[in-house]
Amino acid sequence: MHIYWTPIQQIVKEAPDTYTFQLERPDGFTWEEGAHTHFALEGFNKEDKPNRSLIRHMSISTLPREGVIGITTRIKDECSTFKSLLRGMELGENVAIFKTHSNVPLKRVGKNVYLLSAGVGLATFRPLVLDYLANGEGVPHLHSLNVDSSQNYLFENVFTSTDTFTAEFVDSRGRYHETVKTLAEDMDGLYYVVGSDDFLRETIATLRERGIPREQIVLDKHDFQMDEFLKHND
Ligand SMILES: Cc1cc2nc3c(=O)[nH]c(=O)nc-3n(C[C@H](O)[C@H](O)[C@H](O)COP(=O)(O)OP(=O)(O)OC[C@H]3O[C@@H](n4cnc5c(N)ncnc54)[C@H](O)[C@@H]3O)c2cc1C
């Protein structure tokens, strides 16, 4: 396993409490849209065992062609040690990234794709949308539905509707589930879901109730974790 230590180049405030840490892209480091990585802070590997309080899974919210690695996260006043250390970091300081992998690349198989996310989960989908806007091959229509009770919707410059891409934001779980029920009238669509484990369970339940087969539900999970999430709804 290669650990890349790389400096923070820029910190972009996307919304209240929400920041994108733009990291320098190390030579030879690449990734697919939808990738997540292990994002770690100085000292995480000083002892025999890695210090988990200094490591978090994070999606990469940019594409390689943007030239930077974007990590988008919320840091509230009340936060973990990890987030509080991150908030205190300055440009030029190094962070580590390793074990980078995408479970959710855009499937271009002739089916409509629905991207369902909660809050900052939208970060996972930003590169899929950029990739699609550059090349729509194999996906007749792409739709994004994001629920964010703060109403501070992210990446609105990218999530802007076009002829074949539609972006929708709602501010309550109630409206979200009502909208998912309507989207799920497309029995042939692929449904990508990103958010907390509870959000995944609730969304899967809604989709399965509407008769969407589990093979058409795509989660940012390894295969063995997928079974755990999907088996309750069989
Ligand atoms: C594949 C994958 C991809 C992911 N991608 C992303 C991503 O792109 N961006 C992202 O942000 N996360 C992502 N996550 C989740 C991420 O790994 C963290 O679990 C998440 O950001 C929470 O971080 P944290 O544990 O440091 O807690 P925090 O974010 O600090 O806290 C979680 C919640 O608890 C509250 N809280 C924390 N400490 C206190 C306290 N002392 N008192 C009161 N309230 C408190 C906070 O206000 C917050 O509401 C991903 C996870 C996976 C598995």
Side-chain angles (χ1 to χ4, degrees), residues 33-34 104-107 111-119 121-133 139 141-147 158-159 164-170 176 179-180 183 189-195 199 203 207 216 218-219:
E33 73 276 5
V104 291
L106 187 59
K107 294 189 187 187
K111 294 179 189 291
N112 295 331
V113 173
Y114 300 88
L115 307 174
L116 311 176
S117 62
L122 197 65
T124 312
F125 292 145
R126 182 183 176 276
L128 275 76
V129 171
L130 284 177
D131 200 43
Y132 177 75
L133 293 175
V139 181
H141 194 92
L142 182 68
H143 185 87
S144 164
L145 172 64
N146 177 256
V147 54
V158 170
F159 286 76
T164 55
F165 169 60
T166 37
E168 198 175 356
F169 293 93
V170 293
Y176 167 78
T179 311
V180 172
L183 297 176
L190 296 175
Y191 294 85
Y192 286 54
V193 195
V194 167
F199 177 79
T203 303
L207 291 170
Q216 288 167 228
V218 184
L219 308 179

Side-chain angles (χ1 to χ4, degrees), residues 59-175:
S59 296
I60 300 184
S61 60
T62 51
L63 278 176
R65 67 163 183 266
E66 294 180 90
V68 290
I69 301 166
I71 301 289
T72 304
T73 193
R74 285 213 160 129
I75 308 181
K76 296 186 183 169
D77 288 343
E78 305 251 35
C79 64
S80 61
T81 307
F82 180 92
K83 297 271 176 94
S84 132
L85 288 169
L86 188 59
R87 179 173 33 220
M89 290 191 74
E90 299 195 356
L91 302 187
E93 286 191 83
N94 278 333
V95 293
I97 46 174
F98 53 95
K99 286 206 272 181
T100 305
H101 171 73
S102 180
N103 295 314
V104 291
L106 187 59
K107 294 189 187 187
R108 297 174 181 276
V109 292
K111 294 179 189 291
N112 295 331
V113 173
Y114 300 88
L115 307 174
L116 311 176
S117 62
V120 79
L122 197 65
T124 312
F125 292 145
R126 182 183 176 276
L128 275 76
V129 171
L130 284 177
D131 200 43
Y132 177 75
L133 293 175
N135 170 16
E137 205 181 317
V139 181
H141 194 92
L142 182 68
H143 185 87
S144 164
L145 172 64
N146 177 256
V147 54
D148 196 329
S149 58
S150 77
Q151 298 185 349
N152 294 308
Y153 304 128
L154 297 174
F155 310 126
E156 284 186 292
N157 59 336
V158 170
F159 286 76
T160 300
S161 299
T162 67
D163 284 351
T164 55
F165 169 60
T166 37
E168 198 175 356
F169 293 93
V170 293
D171 62 4
S172 74
R173 287 286 174 104
R175 282 195 58 201

